[in-house]
Amino acid sequence: MMEDAMTTCDLANKECEPCKGGVAPHSAAEAKAMMDQIEGWTLSDDGTAISRRFEFKGFAKAVEMANLAAWLGNKQGHHPDIGFGWGYCEVTFTTHEAGGLTENDFICAAKLDALVA
C-alpha cells in the first residue's frame, strides 16, 4: 500500500474539523475517489451527499441505530440526516455549509462503520 494512501481505518481515526464557511465541497471526481475508502455507502446522483441504509429485524434496532448516528454526529459536531422506521435506518452525510461533500462527511461515515463493525 502506498504510504500516503488513506484507508477506512485512517478516516475513522480522524476528527471532524469545525465548519468555518468558505470551504469548497469536493468535486464529483474527488467524491467518487473518496468512496473507495468507505464500504456500503452510496454517492448521491448529484455527488453532494453519501447515504447508507442499515436493515434490521424490527423497530427497536432501527431506533438504536438512529440514536447511534445522532450521538456520533453530536460528538463530531457534524450532524447527519437520519430516516428510520420498522426494519431500517438510513443515514445521510453532507456538509450543508459547503453545499456538498467534504472530508468531514467521509470521516463520520467511517466512524459510524467502525462503531457498527
Side-chain angles (χ1 to χ4, degrees):
M1 180 184 292
M2 293 178 16
E3 192 173 297
D4 60 359
M6 189 175 296
T7 65
T8 300
C9 185
D10 293 332
L11 279 173
N13 289 324
K14 294 181 92 172
E15 297 296 320
C16 288
E17 295 291 325
C19 294
K20 301 171 189 146
V23 174
H26 286 324
S27 68
E30 290 170 324
K32 284 179 186 172
M34 292 288 289
M35 292 300 293
D36 292 340
Q37 299 175 51
I38 53 175
E39 290 186 36
W41 291 83
T42 303
L43 182 64
S44 65
D45 289 341
D46 64 3
T48 63
I50 53 174
S51 299
R52 182 168 176 191
R53 183 179 175 98
F54 298 88
E55 296 192 1
F56 307 96
K57 292 184 179 177
F59 186 71
K61 292 287 185 193
V63 172
E64 289 173 12
M65 185 68 204
N67 285 331
L68 181 63
W71 172 83
L72 174 67
N74 219 30
K75 186 171 189 226
Q76 290 297 309
H78 193 70
H79 304 97
D81 293 325
I82 304 167
F84 66 96
W86 195 97
Y88 78 93
C89 178
E90 187 164 305
V91 180
T92 301
F93 285 105
T94 188
T95 303
H96 298 286
E97 183 83 20
L101 290 165
T102 64
E103 186 179 42
N104 284 349
D105 300 300
F106 293 93
I107 290 170
C108 285
K111 283 184 172 296
L112 187 58
D113 287 348
L115 287 172
V116 299

